[in-house]
Amino acid sequence: MQQFKNYFQILILIFVCQYAVAQNDFGKYQPFSSYWFIDELLEWNPNEDNNVKFNKSYLPLQVRFIDSTTQVNPELSTKPSVVSLIAPHTTNYHPSQGFQTVEQYAFPYWQYIDYLVQWGGSAGEGLVVTPTAFWIESAHLNGVEILGTVFFPPNVYGGKEEWVLEFLQQDDTGNFPVADKLIEVAKLYGFEGWFINQETHGMRKEEAHLMQKFLKYYQEKSNGKFKIMWYDAMIEDGRVIWQDELNHHNSIYFQNKDKKLTDIMFIDFGWSETQLEDSHKRAKALGRSPWELYSGIDVQAKSYKTPTNWKGLYKNGKPYTTSIGLYWPNSTFNIAKNKQPESVYEEEQKFWNGTILEEEVPAWQSKEWKGFSKYIPARSVIKKLPFITHFNYGLGRFYNEAGVRLSNKEWHNLSIQDILPSWQWQVDTTVVKASFDFTESYTGASSVKIEALKNTEHSKIPLYKTALQLSGKEALQVVHKGDGNIQFVLYLNNGLKYNFKPEINESWTTSSFDLSHLKGQKIVKIATEFSGKKGERIYLGLLAIKKKSKSSIKKSKISVTPFKKDDSLELYINIQGDELAEFHNIYQIKGTNKIWLGKTRSTDYYVAPFKIDKNKTTIKIQVVAIAKDGSKSKPSNKRLLMK
C-alpha cells in the first residue's frame, strides 16, 4: 500500500535523527541488540559474538488466563486479540539492556495484546531484527508472545531481489539454511518467532512456490515451538500487491490444503467492512480461525487521531470479523508534548481506552477513537504465589529502595517493569483520578496515585485480575502514604469479598493483614475503595500477597570486568546466582553510601558509564540477589583495582 511505503520512508528519517542525538550517550563497551543482512545471518556464530550473553532472555513465557466473571463486559469473547508492531528505536545501535534516559517508549497495556512484534529493518542497516532482551522479558512477564522481524523493503527504498533469493536458498539436501538460522536465533535468545514482511518487487511464481516451501519447512522444523506471522503483500504469483483481505491471491501463504504455513497473518491497512467479512468467511472455509487474522490500523503518523473504520472491527459492542493489528502504536510517545513519562502515559490512556477528539475533523470522520479496552477482555498471568508489585513502570528519573533514594540518574529498563494494574482505570474520572506517579516511589521510580477531584466516599478502583489459591499461610502486605483513606478489597471465587483498611500516614508505611481465615479460597480480583476530601490523595508503593515467612536465598558468585577512562567507568558483570533469584541489584559502595547501578534478571549485565574519583585506587561493587517473595541474599562484594 502506497501510504505504508511513504510512512516507511518517514520512519527511516525519524530513526536517523533519533540516532544522531543519542549515539554519543553510549559507552565504548555498550552491547547492542542483534541485526543482520541475510548473508551475515548465515555466517553468524553465536560463540564469536560478544553481545550474545547480553541479548538472551531468561524469563519463560508466563501462562495467561481470562476470567469472564471479572471482565468489565462478561459477554465479550476471549478469542479476538491484538498484535502490536512497535518500532521503539533504530535497527542498529539498540542497547541490549536499556537506556540512561526516561525519553524512551515503555508499554503499560500488555493485558490487551497477545503478540508484540519488534518491527525494524532497512536496506541500510539490516533485514533481520531480533527483539531486545528487555522487551522479551517484559512481554513474557505478561504472557505476551514476542516476534522479531524479517523485512524485505520495497525496491524504491533499497530493496534487492537477491536478498529474497538468499533468504529462499536451499542446500543440496533441500533444507532451508535461513529457516534453520531463524529458529536457532529465536531459541537462543528466548522469543517466539518471526514477522515476515516481503515487499520487494521482481519475484516470480518460482519464488512464490519457494516461499511456500520455506514456510512449510519452518513449520515442520520448529514443531510448533516457533511461530511465523505473515504480512499481506506478496501474492500467489510472486508479485507484491496488497490485498487488504484474505483471499485466493494470498491465502496460500496462510493455509495450503491441510498444511498450516503461517500461524497468524497481518492484513494491510486499506480494508473495507465487506473485505473483513469476506476474510472471516474464507479463514473458516480454510479450517482456520478468523481471529488468527489481524486487520491492520496504521497509527504511525496520527496515533489515536487516525481515521479508522470501526464498523469493520466492532459490531454490537464487540469484535466480529478479525483480530486487530496495530502498526506503530508507540506513536503515543511521538505525539507526547515533552516525551516525559507523565505526558506519554496520558496519550497511552487515550489510545487504549478511547477518547473524543478535541480538534475538528472532516465530516466523514468520527470524532470518537474507540480504543480497545472496552472490546478486548483484560488478560492476566497472576495465578501463582507470591504476587508482588511495586507499580514499577520500567523507567524513572531516580531509583528508590524501601523509600530511600539510591540514585538520581535517569534510566529505562523494561526487564524490571512490574505487572501493572489490569484495569487502568475503571473509575468515575470526574470524581477520582488514578494514574502512575513518577515523582514518588517506594521501590523503583513510580507508584500509583489516587486523588480526590471532589469529595468522595468509597470510590471503587479495581486493580488486578487474579487466580490466587490461598493455603492459609499468606498475608496481604501493602505500602502506602498520603492523607486520604483507603481500603483494599479481595474478591473471592465464591462471591464473597473481604476488606482490609490500613492506617494512612504522610510517610511510607507498611501494613500487613493475615489471610489465614481464607484458607482454601481463591482470590479473583484485587481492588481498592478510596475516600477523601477534594485534593486528598494516596500513593501505593507496594502490593503483595505472599507467605508470612521469608525464603532463604544464597548470595551470588560474581565476576566484574571494568573499563576505565579518566573519571568514567563501565562494567561487565557476570552473576552466577541461586535458582531462587528473580533479580539481582547492583550497587557501588562508597563508604557508608550505596549507589544503585542497575537491576537484572540476566546472568550478564552491562553497567553504562558512571563517574568515579579518578584518584581512587579501588572501587567496591556489590550485588544482592532478590527472591520472588522479595527476600534478599547477603551481599556479594567485589573490590576492583583501578589502574
Side-chain angles (χ1 to χ4, degrees), residues 149-309:
T149 300
V150 181
F151 179 47
F152 297 103
N155 307 61
V156 293
Y157 297 124
K160 298 179 181 179
E161 295 169 30
E162 55 261 39
W163 286 339
V164 183
L165 298 178
E166 281 180 325
F167 182 76
L168 295 174
Q169 65 184 281
Q170 291 179 277
D171 62 20
D172 294 339
T173 60
N175 295 325
F176 288 87
V178 176
D180 292 332
K181 272 294 185 182
L182 291 178
I183 292 169
E184 177 190 355
V185 172
K187 183 177 181 180
L188 178 66
Y189 284 176
F191 58 94
E192 279 67 52
W194 299 91
F195 174 70
I196 297 183
N197 183 352
Q198 199 310 83
E199 296 189 81
T200 301
H201 292 266
M203 300 300 108
R204 304 158 299 170
K205 285 185 179 179
E206 290 84 350
E207 285 76 48
H209 180 64
L210 266 178
M211 183 66 79
Q212 293 158 38
K213 288 182 66 177
F214 179 100
L215 296 172
K216 181 174 180 288
Y217 176 89
Y218 180 98
Q219 293 286 356
E220 291 173 351
K221 286 297 291 285
S222 65
N223 197 26
K225 293 181 180 178
F226 301 102
K227 294 184 176 178
I228 289 288
M229 186 172 196
W230 181 257
Y231 176 59
D232 160 32
M234 187 176 178
I235 61 173
E236 85 282 10
D237 63 5
R239 290 179 296 166
V240 172
I241 306 176
W242 298 268
Q243 299 298 296
D244 305 318
E245 65 177 347
L246 179 70
N247 61 24
H248 65 283
H249 290 301
N250 59 19
S251 60
I252 194 70
Y253 300 106
F254 185 56
Q255 183 76 23
N256 186 353
K257 298 179 182 179
D258 63 339
K259 295 292 184 182
K260 178 177 70 173
L261 294 193
T262 53
D263 300 274
I264 48 181
M265 181 173 175
F266 192 101
I267 296 174
D268 195 50
F269 311 110
W271 46 263
S272 67
E273 185 177 353
T274 300
Q275 284 177 304
L276 295 194
E277 290 173 344
D278 290 344
S279 299
H280 184 102
K281 294 173 185 175
R282 187 168 188 87
K284 283 188 170 182
L286 293 170
R288 296 288 295 274
S289 168
W291 308 115
E292 293 172 335
L293 304 175
Y294 290 78
S295 299
I297 308 175
D298 185 347
V299 296
Q300 177 188 353
K302 296 184 178 181
S303 191
Y304 55 80
K305 300 175 185 178
T306 302
T308 300
N309 181 7

Side-chain angles (χ1 to χ4, degrees), residues 483-538:
D483 54 7
N485 288 290
I486 198 167
Q487 57 185 359
F488 293 84
V489 187
L490 303 184
Y491 291 80
L492 307 181
N493 61 329
N494 60 10
L496 298 177
K497 67 175 185 176
Y498 290 83
N499 298 345
F500 303 88
K501 187 174 182 179
E503 289 190 15
I504 303 298
N505 298 299
E506 281 290 343
S507 57
W508 289 116
T509 304
T510 301
S511 298
S512 188
F513 304 95
D514 180 69
L515 300 180
S516 58
H517 59 293
L518 302 182
K519 180 179 179 180
Q521 301 298 320
K522 182 186 288 186
I523 302 171
V524 296
K525 183 167 71 173
I526 303 173
T528 65
E529 290 186 4
F530 173 68
S531 300
K533 297 177 182 178
K534 181 179 178 180
E536 290 187 332
R537 75 281 183 268
I538 296 284

Side-chain angles (χ1 to χ4, degrees), residues 402-459:
V404 177
R405 184 66 50 91
L406 297 186
S407 173
N408 282 307
K409 281 191 172 183
E410 290 189 2
W411 59 276
H412 177 289
N413 183 3
L414 292 179
S415 287
I416 62 174
Q417 183 187 60
D418 283 325
I419 297 176
L420 302 177
S422 308
W423 298 283
Q424 301 174 33
W425 305 87
Q426 188 186 333
V427 66
D428 185 346
T429 56
T430 66
V431 177
V432 172
K433 181 180 180 181
S435 188
F436 294 101
D437 187 277
F438 300 96
T439 63
E440 296 281 356
S441 178
Y442 181 66
T443 293
S446 54
S447 59
V448 165
K449 180 182 179 182
I450 302 171
E451 183 177 10
L453 303 179
K454 300 177 182 177
N455 293 353
T456 182
E457 288 289 333
H458 302 296
S459 285

Side-chain angles (χ1 to χ4, degrees), residues 387-413:
F387 167 60
I388 299 178
T389 177
H390 293 95
F391 307 102
N392 185 359
Y393 201 85
L395 51 74
R397 303 184 184 99
F398 57 86
Y399 191 87
N400 284 357
E401 231 176 62
V404 177
R405 184 66 50 91
L406 297 186
S407 173
N408 282 307
K409 281 191 172 183
E410 290 189 2
W411 59 276
H412 177 289
N413 183 3

